[in-house]
Amino acid sequence: MKKRLISILCCAALAVSMISTTVSAAENEDASENVSEQGTTEKDEVVVTMPPTSEPASGFDPAYGWGAGEHVHEPLIQSTLTVTTADLQIANDLATEYSVSDDGLTWTVKIRDDVKFTDGEPLTASDVAFTYNNCKEKSTVNDFTMLEEAVAVDDTTVEFHMTRPFSIWPYTMATVGIVPEHAYDENYGQNPIGSGRYIMKQWDKGQQVIFEANPDYYGEEPKIKRLTVLFMEEDAALIAAMAGQVDVAHTAASYSEEVLDGYNLVSVQSVDNRGFNLPACDPVEQDGITYGNAFTSDVNVRRAINIGIDREEMIQNVLNGYGTAAYSICDQMPWYNEESEVEYDQEEAKRLLDEAGWVEGDDGIREKDGVRAAFTLLFSTGDSVRQALAEDTANQLREIGIEVTTEGVGWDTAYDRAQSEPLMWGWGAHTPMELYNIYHTVEGSGIGQATYSPYANETVDQYMDEALAATDLEESYELWKKAQWDGTTGVTQEGDIPWIWLCNVDHLYFVRDGLNIGEQKIHPHGHGWSIVNNVDQWSWES
């Protein structure tokens, strides 16, 4: 720790120089006044750091993932039809009301008639329909196959005609920002026009983006008038905070013991989970890809692994205590089934392996019918947390007679290899579709099983299909829960357990004293834009 701190301090001058260059590049006197060792000169401005991966490569365009991409957040610049509340329920934004037909194939949404884009043009149902049809046509990061067509019935009514029932459509409506049909072209993402809480004033690619409050916003007036986001790695963000150059700096558990004068460490709970898949079928090869694993295809092996891992030990040793035990892909969500939870029981794990015929050999590693109780656990190269979790998993499983070899891989090969070898993943979103995407059988892909790891259960599929077909959102929650465990089958410990969930990673930030960042929702996967979802509600103590 001391050597690392010395290294950080040695780099501080470079970081301050980098930030000064960034501000200079903005060519804006207000921005240069905003960053100083004494903090913001105005009590309605903030400077926040985010990882470089948070910068949208394709610009601030909903069609290419801004808002509704892998790392779900509210799009700030654009308004959405609905929003998710702090307890992840659905509330209206542009929408004043919505309903779905009895067959689930038509959603009708009424919208406000008092909203204007920042160029002064009114926002109408035609803009809503255009936005969604454009996303369906162009999106490469989001699934809009459930949408057949969006149609503007009149200026304040839009209909969504679906290809199949999709009860959780309100969650999609909460992340898709509405764009102006009259001002949209291939360069929209570089200079976006919206009707949301903020206007993007400046984007210096690779460095920063500056937002200013929309003076014509139809909702509650934002308390924070100016938001500057600096894109930098965790080390640089820490240096920036040490130099007093930023108000909120994202950080990692490895830096959680650092004490920064003028800042406090804020921990935000998340559903940003880490876990690994266990291929749940015997090996078979198709199109040059191996699907399945001779060892993890045994359900008793999977059950033994699930209870043979001490999650609390992992959280303490890998995350410095900043995390919660994970038992599913949707912990704490309204559709979470508490039957997913298990207790660490190493002796029961050994008993399960014994009962299944996995006999311990002279070297302590089990074997059955010539198959060694062993597998390679992959992790993405360069991700120190996933690597540490993989190493900890290997150490713990050896105690019950399972040999785990860890290996760093690139994402160019990881997806294919994960069909036969466990991979340390990161998931978590404010939508039940995360369950569907992980566990539901996909027709016509691979060997006709789930997308990311071989697994199939017709009953689980049926519950999820029924959940999507439900006409009531609350009713769908119960069906999503049954897909996890219905008392007989599911994806939990007493069921098929094709994935092992380890922990939900707390999102950590150094926050300047005197800055109140409001009530944070449980963050989804991705340590980026979620922190500023509610930036309009932040405030400085007087």
Side-chain angles (χ1 to χ4, degrees):
M1 179 70 73
K2 185 177 293 185
K3 289 182 178 179
R4 183 176 64 200
L5 182 57
I6 291 172
S7 176
I8 290 170
L9 289 169
C10 289
C11 295
L14 179 61
V16 172
S17 174
M18 177 190 70
I19 295 170
S20 298
T21 301
T22 298
V23 172
S24 176
E27 297 180 354
N28 187 304
E29 292 182 2
D30 291 339
S32 62
E33 291 174 2
N34 189 50
V35 285
S36 70
E37 292 192 9
Q38 287 73 41
T40 54
T41 57
E42 300 295 334
K43 290 300 184 180
D44 57 4
E45 305 178 7
V46 290
V47 180
V48 177
T49 72
M50 290 184 193
T53 53
S54 295
E55 186 173 24
S58 299
F60 297 85
D61 186 341
Y64 300 105
W66 166 246
E70 179 185 356
H71 309 315
V72 178
H73 59 87
E74 291 158 12
L76 287 180
I77 304 165
Q78 298 94 359
S79 303
T80 53
L81 293 175
T82 62
V83 293
T84 52
T85 61
D87 60 355
L88 302 181
Q89 301 298 318
I90 295 293
N92 289 333
D93 185 1
L94 286 177
T96 58
E97 60 180 275
Y98 60 86
S99 60
V100 61
S101 60
D102 290 342
D103 61 6
L105 294 177
T106 303
W107 287 83
T108 302
V109 181
K110 295 281 189 178
I111 66 169
R112 302 173 63 122
D113 61 3
D114 60 345
V115 179
K116 291 184 178 181
F117 289 107
T118 52
D119 63 358
E121 293 295 318
L123 185 156
T124 71
S126 292
D127 298 298
V128 176
F130 171 80
T131 297
Y132 278 82
N133 290 330
N134 188 56
C135 285
K136 176 177 174 59
E137 176 187 351
K138 295 182 178 178
S139 182
T140 56
V141 295
N142 299 297
D143 179 16
F144 283 93
T145 57
M146 77 294 291
L147 176 65
E148 181 178 337
E149 184 184 18
V151 177
V153 177
D154 56 40
D155 282 352
T156 58
T157 309
V158 62
E159 287 183 350
F160 296 104
H161 300 284
M162 315 302 282
T163 60
R164 64 181 188 275
F166 198 72
S167 65
I168 56 176
W169 186 245
Y171 285 97
T172 300
M173 295 194 294
T175 58
V176 178
I178 305 304
V179 304
E181 182 177 10
H182 67 274
Y184 185 88
D185 59 24
E186 65 275 7
N187 297 316
Y188 173 82
Q190 314 306 308
N191 296 285
I193 293 172
S195 61
R197 294 164 286 166
Y198 289 88
I199 302 169
M200 193 195 83
K201 297 296 289 186
Q202 187 169 326
W203 182 15
D204 302 307
K205 293 183 180 179
Q207 299 179 40
Q208 69 174 357
V209 61
I210 299 172
F211 302 91
E212 290 184 357
N214 179 0
D216 298 319
Y217 180 56
Y218 53 89
E220 184 177 342
E221 181 180 355
K223 296 177 182 177
I224 296 297
K225 303 302 184 185
R226 185 183 184 93
L227 164 65
T228 300
V229 174
L230 303 179
F231 300 110
M232 54 180 60
E233 300 290 354
E234 289 165 353
D235 285 358
L238 176 61
I239 295 167
M242 293 173 68
Q245 297 284 345
V246 297
D247 301 308
V248 178
H250 71 288
T251 193
S254 54
Y255 294 133
S256 61
E257 295 179 359
E258 304 289 355
V259 177
L260 276 62
D261 186 33
Y263 292 81
N264 60 94
L265 183 68
V266 174
S267 175
V268 180
Q269 284 199 345
S270 83
V271 68
D272 189 355
N273 48 52
R274 299 292 180 271
F276 55 93
N277 63 300
L278 292 176
C281 70
D282 289 321
V284 59
E285 190 164 323
Q286 180 175 308
D287 298 328
I289 298 175
T290 300
Y291 296 85
N293 183 292
F295 176 53
T296 64
S297 61
D298 186 333
V299 67
N300 283 309
V301 165
R302 303 196 296 273
R303 290 172 179 169
I305 290 173
N306 194 39
I307 62 173
I309 293 176
D310 186 344
R311 291 164 172 81
E312 293 301 330
E313 182 272 341
M314 280 189 166
I315 291 167
Q316 294 303 318
N317 289 344
V318 178
L319 303 179
N320 283 358
Y322 291 103
T324 56
Y327 302 103
S328 81
I329 199 171
C330 55
D331 294 359
Q332 307 176 79
M333 299 294 102
W335 46 90
Y336 171 59
N337 189 331
E338 294 181 354
E339 293 297 323
S340 300
E341 297 177 23
V342 295
E343 293 185 5
Y344 169 58
D345 191 337
Q346 190 179 85
E347 293 307 311
E348 175 63 11
K350 291 178 180 179
R351 190 196 68 77
L352 281 171
L353 292 170
D354 289 339
E355 187 178 84
W358 294 93
V359 179
E360 190 172 308
D362 293 338
D363 60 354
I365 304 302
R366 296 170 182 270
E367 188 175 301
K368 178 182 178 181
D369 299 332
V371 176
R372 190 169 173 82
F375 61 84
T376 297
L377 180 53
L378 309 173
F379 62 88
S380 53
T381 301
D383 191 317
S384 60
V385 172
R386 297 191 200 194
Q387 180 177 2
L389 289 171
E391 298 290 352
D392 200 323
T393 297
N395 291 336
Q396 291 201 42
L397 292 186
R398 187 170 187 87
E399 294 180 9
I400 62 173
I402 297 175
E403 181 181 52
V404 177
T405 303
T406 61
E407 179 185 346
V409 294
W411 288 108
D412 56 333
T413 61
Y415 289 99
D416 285 347
R417 289 188 62 181
Q419 298 295 336
S420 60
E421 300 170 279
L423 171 67
M424 190 68 69
W425 297 83
W427 297 97
H430 295 163
T431 169
M433 278 304 288
E434 201 87 334
L435 270 171
Y436 187 98
N437 293 334
I438 292 292
Y439 295 112
H440 197 284
T441 301
V442 178
E443 294 182 8
S445 66
I447 56 173
Q449 300 202 15
T451 301
Y452 299 101
S453 184
Y455 171 67
N457 183 317
E458 291 183 3
T459 302
V460 171
D461 284 354
Q462 183 178 346
Y463 281 129
M464 290 193 280
D465 291 338
E466 290 176 0
L468 290 179
T471 55
D472 179 80
L473 199 55
E474 296 293 332
E475 176 189 341
S476 78
Y477 292 163
E478 294 306 312
L479 290 163
W480 291 112
K481 290 179 181 180
K482 285 186 175 181
Q484 295 163 71
W485 179 247
D486 68 356
T488 302
T489 190
V491 298
T492 58
Q493 174 68 11
E494 298 304 316
D496 301 322
I497 197 68
W499 287 69
I500 306 298
W501 303 105
L502 302 173
C503 56
N504 299 299
V505 180
D506 287 355
H507 288 177
L508 302 179
Y509 304 89
F510 287 111
V511 178
R512 193 186 294 276
D513 292 346
L515 177 60
N516 181 351
I517 62 171
E519 181 182 7
Q520 293 284 321
K521 300 176 191 176
I522 295 173
H523 283 192
H525 179 54
H527 199 174
W529 292 96
S530 293
I531 185 65
V532 295
N533 272 351
N534 68 336
V535 68
D536 55 306
Q537 301 165 32
W538 293 9
S539 62
W540 289 96
E541 295 178 0
S542 57

